[in-house]
Amino acid sequence: NNWNERRKTRNEEQVYLLGLRDEFQFNQQALLKASRINETNLRHALELIKYTGPGTPQLTESQFDSLLYGSIVNEVQFLPSPGVLNEITNSGKLGNFSDVELKKALASWESILSRVRFQEQEEVQRTRLGILNFLSDKVNERRGSYAKYGAVVGFGPSKFKGNNQNVLQLEEFENKLLEFIFTNTFLRDNYYPQLRERIDLILSLINQNIDPSS
């Protein structure tokens, strides 16, 4: 009976390992997608901040709109697949895994994920919304979004005259843009690399423990 129970436990572990491999391969691609969005936002923001302040070269309205919307229109969020690991954890089956290192790596996954989520939501998202809220009463949003979204949504150009790029001369805008750049840079250089390393480690340990005959 003990032998039979051990066999059933090992078989169940193999099923979970296969599910975890699919899950963390998905997470690997989800992180790549989030990293690319963050990198695109950061690249546009770094280009835009070159034009803030007096005495800088003038942008056309279309260039300004392209850089601004390229910086803040897309939210950065890593969206992992939660299913298999949650099932293992909630059912108490993690303790049945034979590889101690894999158990440790899986058990600490949520804490690493929480740190990344904090940086994404409390820092990057906060500074992104700070720019959006600041711009809401400083620019003509219809003028700024018409070229990109007018035909899609179904509205024409604004009849109001003016230049949205005038915000480039506002020190407060430069400060908010710089804060946005800092939070995105920390996400790119510190948080996402740690997450990437953990995903790679987990996948490596999973592959080491999968029975080739499974």
Side-chain angles (χ1 to χ4, degrees):
N1 286 339
N2 288 339
W3 176 86
N4 192 47
E5 285 301 315
R6 286 195 296 272
R7 182 182 62 82
K8 286 169 60 178
T9 299
R10 295 287 79 81
N11 287 342
E12 184 179 56
E13 180 184 7
Q14 289 299 309
V15 172
Y16 278 137
L17 286 170
L18 292 171
L20 283 169
R21 181 173 65 182
D22 290 343
E23 184 160 286
F24 277 88
Q25 286 175 343
F26 174 89
N27 292 346
Q28 202 171 43
Q29 294 304 307
L31 179 56
L32 180 62
K33 179 180 178 181
S35 297
R36 285 173 174 169
I37 293 173
N38 183 67
E39 186 65 40
T40 297
N41 292 354
L42 183 56
R43 185 176 70 251
H44 283 91
L46 285 169
E47 183 65 22
L48 184 60
I49 205 169
K50 294 178 182 178
Y51 298 95
T52 58
T56 54
Q58 194 80 354
L59 288 171
T60 66
E61 279 293 294
S62 62
Q63 288 173 328
F64 171 76
D65 294 339
S66 178
L67 289 176
L68 179 63
Y69 280 87
S71 301
I72 60 175
V73 74
N74 290 315
E75 180 181 355
V76 178
Q77 189 174 11
F78 170 61
L79 297 172
S81 173
V84 179
L85 182 55
N86 279 356
E87 180 184 336
I88 294 169
T89 304
N90 293 337
S91 63
K93 296 295 179 65
L94 186 58
N96 294 340
F97 279 47
S98 55
D99 190 316
V100 175
E101 290 302 313
L102 178 57
K103 283 194 287 188
K104 288 180 180 178
L106 291 172
S108 62
W109 168 252
E110 190 59 37
S111 65
I112 292 178
L113 191 57
S114 295
R115 291 198 295 272
V116 171
R117 283 174 175 158
F118 179 86
Q119 181 66 15
E120 287 180 336
Q121 297 170 13
E122 302 299 325
E123 298 296 330
V124 173
Q125 179 69 342
R126 175 183 60 81
T127 57
R128 174 176 173 266
L129 291 177
I131 294 174
L132 288 169
N133 291 334
F134 174 78
L135 292 174
S136 65
D137 61 354
K138 298 290 193 303
V139 301
N140 183 304
E141 295 184 19
R142 182 173 179 176
R143 182 167 56 239
S145 59
Y146 167 70
K148 191 172 181 65
Y149 300 107
V152 177
V153 179
F155 62 87
S158 174
K159 296 181 178 65
F160 291 100
K161 304 301 179 183
N163 294 305
N164 284 349
Q165 63 170 301
N166 288 338
V167 297
L168 292 171
Q169 302 302 312
L170 300 177
E171 192 171 1
E172 187 177 356
F173 176 73
E174 182 180 68
N175 290 339
K176 290 183 179 298
L177 185 60
L178 186 62
E179 188 178 12
F180 177 73
I181 288 170
F182 279 142
T183 57
N184 278 271
T185 300
F186 294 151
L187 182 63
R188 181 195 66 183
D189 294 346
N190 299 318
Y191 291 86
Y192 278 170
Q194 291 178 12
L195 192 61
R196 188 177 301 110
E197 287 177 7
R198 181 50 54 95
I199 292 174
D200 291 344
L201 173 63
I202 289 173
L203 280 172
S204 175
L205 292 171
I206 288 172
N207 287 325
Q208 290 174 29
N209 284 274
I210 288 179
D211 188 336
S213 63
S214 297

